[in-house]
Each structure stands twice: as C-alpha cells, then as structure tokens.
Amino acid sequence: MACVVQQSSPGTVFTPDAFALLGSRAAIDKALQRLVARGMLRRLSRGLYDKPRNDELLGLLWPSVDAVVQALAGKDKLRTQPAGVYAANMLGLSEQVPAKVVLLTDGISRTVKAGPMQISFKRTTPRQMAAAGRLSGLLIQAFKSLGAPHMTPARIERLRQQLPAAQRAQVLEDIALAPAWMRPFLREVARQEP
C-alpha cells in the first residue's frame, strides 16, 4: 500500500476502498493509520485521506474539491453534478467561492467535511441528473443559481468565447432538460458563428 501512495502524485485523495484488493478492511485501516503516523498520508475525515502537497509560499495545501469528489464518487459509484454557486464559479460566471460545495447526486444525501471544505451531496431526480457530467448540465445548474435577470448578454458572450464550439454544439442535445425560461440563453450560448 505504501508503494501505491508513493507513486501517486501529491494531492491525490484515497478512501479505504481504493485498497480493497490488498487485504481485509481491518488490515487496510491499520496500514492507513501507519501511513498517517509516518506523514505519508493525511486524514481529512473518517475514511478519507490525501497525500499532502506543499507549496513553497503557501505551505501545506488542501486537496482540490474535484479530487475529493472523484474519490467519494468512485468509492460509491455515484454520478455527480455541480450545482448552485459552485457550478457558476466553475464556468467563470461568478467570482464567489462557495464555503459549502453542493453537488447533485443519484446516491444518498450526505455532507462530507474534508479539512476546511464542506461538500454536500444532495439526492435529486433522474431528470436533474440526465445531463450530469456534460457541459449542458453544468450550464443548467449555473443558470438556475444565477436566475434569469442575471443572464446578461455580456455573460453569455463570455461563455461563448471561453467554451469550445464542439462543446457548445452539444448543449442543444440536452436543451429539453432545461426549464423553458433558460432555453433561449442556452440556444444563444450554443449558437454557431455565421
């Protein structure tokens, strides 16, 4: 197990299930305790560990939200969809950095604390998860968070500039999953240049 941790890059997040092929749960837990004691791993919360990464200026850094989400989603075989301010921030539509990251999921609802981060998984409907993992799902959730009055031409144009044309074209495939008020904005984002 120490070899796997040594070969992984700093900032990688692990759950005990990542080592399930290596032994019993009790043996894995004991090995994880030893790796934490040796400083090779850091315990973020119950059943969640990371390989610490250091920055010369900032010191010890916390893992990225994506790394934590990937580890948890992989463990439970969940599909996730960023929602709320987090989705808007990912697209550059909001400068606000959420203190609590919200993800929609087809799994159970729960909140996970990983160091200073709080990640909330909220169970939702199959319709809300239909576009999970695609640009259209992210746009729908970001637009929902911001609301129609805040969907300015400048924001739409910024999205058009920063998103590749191929990805924008795929948004039209999922347009029926969006609320009616949002569809004109999505069409405008997906519009191809004349």
Side-chain angles (χ1 to χ4, degrees):
M1 196 155 83
C3 291
V4 172
V5 172
Q6 283 177 337
Q7 292 173 358
S8 65
S9 57
T12 302
V13 178
F14 301 97
T15 64
D17 290 347
F19 306 105
L21 294 174
L22 301 177
S24 69
R25 180 62 193 253
I28 290 168
D29 287 344
K30 194 59 157 170
L32 287 169
Q33 285 176 357
R34 288 184 186 125
L35 291 172
V36 168
R38 288 175 30 199
M40 290 178 69
L41 285 179
R42 171 176 50 180
R43 185 174 187 263
L44 299 171
S45 67
R46 186 171 178 251
L48 198 60
Y49 304 85
D50 81 325
K51 181 175 179 179
R53 61 186 170 126
N54 280 302
D55 183 81
E56 289 180 21
L57 292 173
L58 302 174
L60 192 61
L61 301 175
W62 293 102
S64 69
V65 172
D66 287 341
V68 174
V69 170
Q70 285 178 0
L72 293 170
K75 171 185 167 273
D76 296 334
K77 307 294 185 242
L78 300 175
R79 287 187 312 148
T80 60
Q81 173 62 58
V85 177
Y86 181 53
N89 182 275
M90 288 177 74
L91 288 168
L93 294 174
S94 171
E95 307 254 331
Q96 187 178 1
V97 178
K100 182 178 179 181
V101 173
V102 178
L103 294 140
L104 302 178
T105 183
D106 53 1
I108 60 169
S109 293
R110 66 181 178 155
T111 299
V112 176
K113 196 149 172 49
M117 287 181 273
Q118 189 171 349
I119 302 170
S120 181
F121 293 89
K122 291 189 176 185
R123 184 171 176 81
T124 190
T125 63
R127 180 181 174 95
Q128 293 282 335
M129 293 302 295
R134 297 194 296 270
L135 174 62
S136 52
L138 194 59
L139 285 168
I140 290 168
Q141 293 304 318
F143 288 8
K144 239 183 233 184
S145 169
L146 295 170
H150 298 284
M151 295 314 307
T152 63
R155 279 189 163 150
I156 297 293
E157 188 54 35
R158 188 169 356 137
L159 282 172
R160 288 183 46 69
Q161 297 291 323
Q162 66 188 70
L163 299 172
Q167 281 188 329
R168 291 194 333 254
Q170 291 175 345
V171 169
L172 294 175
E173 295 174 19
D174 295 325
I175 204 159
L177 300 171
W181 69 265
M182 196 181 294
R183 292 176 186 173
F185 299 117
L186 292 172
R187 276 190 209 95
E188 190 59 28
V189 167
R191 180 177 51 84
Q192 298 299 320
E193 298 298 331

